Amino acid sequence: MPPSPMSSTTAAGQSAGPVPFKDIVVVGGGGARQLPAEEYRDIIATLPRKQSTPFTTVHEYDGAWILDDWLPGTMAFRRRFEARAAGDVVLASLPKCGTTWLKALAFATAARGRYDVPSSCEDGDRRHPLLRLNPHECVPFVEVVYNAGEEAKLDAAPSPRIISTHAPYSLLPASITQSSTCKIIYISRQPKDMLISFWHFINKRIKPNIIPFSDIWNSIYNDAYPESPIWEHILGYWNMSKMEPDRVLFLKYEDVLRDPIKNVEKIAEFIGQPFSDAEKEAGIIESIVKLCSLENLKASAMNSTSNYQRLMKEVPSESFFRKGVVGDWANYVTPDMAERMDKYLAEKLQGSGFSFTDCL
Ligand code: PAP
């Protein structure tokens, strides 16, 4: 019998883990609250605004440049979100740094008490949520949840909840930053590959227009990339991971690609659900890595019945899965452009102890 979605403990009294956000049903609708876009309209109207590409604009909100359609949800998250004393898991990242993959890995790991990890994904068995849903439907972007007026689902979710955000550390709600039980996992990525990935993604969304590549590339220099300045975003989490390693885990996309098994073990230990020897012997970690592989998630996203509803626009589920490699930037930019970018970032990150030099 499949586990009941809302039971949060196993017979042994241990946490059974999260359920897919999409599967949560709020009895009675949860009560209507004003949508953030309406509630914060007057405040937003006073914030500095600039064009980031011919088709997108960003607003400056307390030091970070946030995409217009993402901003109300960011504000609501900061003001309304209440972390639970039992502890929540927050996945944080800049856009296009491996969020979708991290969502899948963290969900499969945290929910393994509720959903057995299949050893094979080729038999058409759709019992595991990641074989029928996009990882974004399992772990929601909290900004999207607030924008869509779905916050009652956050309250209905069993603990531990897993949520994700693109917000910089400085904009996280106090209930998260001051909690001793909330766990934050950040994933960074070499910005040159991040930019290529973003360019492909955004052009899929705004078809038939095409954003000039130079607009996306220069968004780093112009602080126009979503959640910019990006080095402040990275260092905000990096510094906290050094100061409070039990509370903030800092991952690099390139490291996860190099050694996914080691990184899944790290995630499990960090969230307080280390793998037992029996699980290791049974190959559970390898099965999680396989379940969350690009090929497998891509196939599941195609199986997903609808496009993933992000903000008010529909985004094709499969658009979150492209190449998943390190160094694709070399196919798009000249060595001079790359060198200038490397130098610029090295200057910004100087003295922090963090660098991208091992990420190609
Ligand atoms: P988001 O911020 O919109 O959620 P995000 O998931 O962070 O996007 O980034 C997408 C990138 O992760 C894509 O990179 P690419 O364009 O360079 O290929 C995507 O292919 C990659 N990605 C998604 N899933 C996986 C996976 N399972 N393994 C490795 N890379 C992945």
Side-chain angles (χ1 to χ4, degrees), residues 94-101 136 141 166 189 197 201 253 257 292-294 297 310 320-324:
L94 283 164
K96 301 298 148 198
C97 289
T99 325
T100 314
W101 193 17
H136 294 284
F141 275 116
H166 282 323
R189 190 181 191 187
S197 185
F201 178 76
Y253 177 83
L257 265 185
C292 302
S293 67
L294 184 70
L297 294 184
R310 182 145 144 170
F320 294 94
F321 312 99
R322 198 179 62 90
K323 277 191 177 174

Side-chain angles (χ1 to χ4, degrees), residues 48 53 91 94 107 111 133 140 178 252 278 292 324 332:
T53 73
L91 311 180
L94 283 164
F107 181 84
L133 298 173
Q178 288 169 16
K252 286 181 170 176
C292 302
Y332 296 84

Side-chain angles (χ1 to χ4, degrees), residues 8-58:
S8 56
T9 52
T10 62
Q14 290 162 334
S15 164
V19 297
F21 191 75
K22 192 176 182 186
D23 289 354
I24 295 171
V25 178
V26 177
V27 181
R33 184 159 180 185
Q34 198 178 19
L35 286 177
E38 291 157 21
E39 184 171 344
Y40 306 129
R41 178 172 292 132
D42 292 346
I43 304 174
I44 290 172
T46 65
L47 299 177
R49 182 170 190 243
K50 68 185 175 190
Q51 203 78 23
S52 52
T53 73
F55 313 103
T56 51
T57 46
V58 284

Side-chain angles (χ1 to χ4, degrees), residues 299-313:
S300 303
M302 303 293 265
N303 289 335
S304 184
T305 46
S306 64
N307 283 351
Y308 166 60
Q309 178 98 34
R310 182 145 144 170
L311 305 172
M312 298 303 156
K313 298 164 196 147

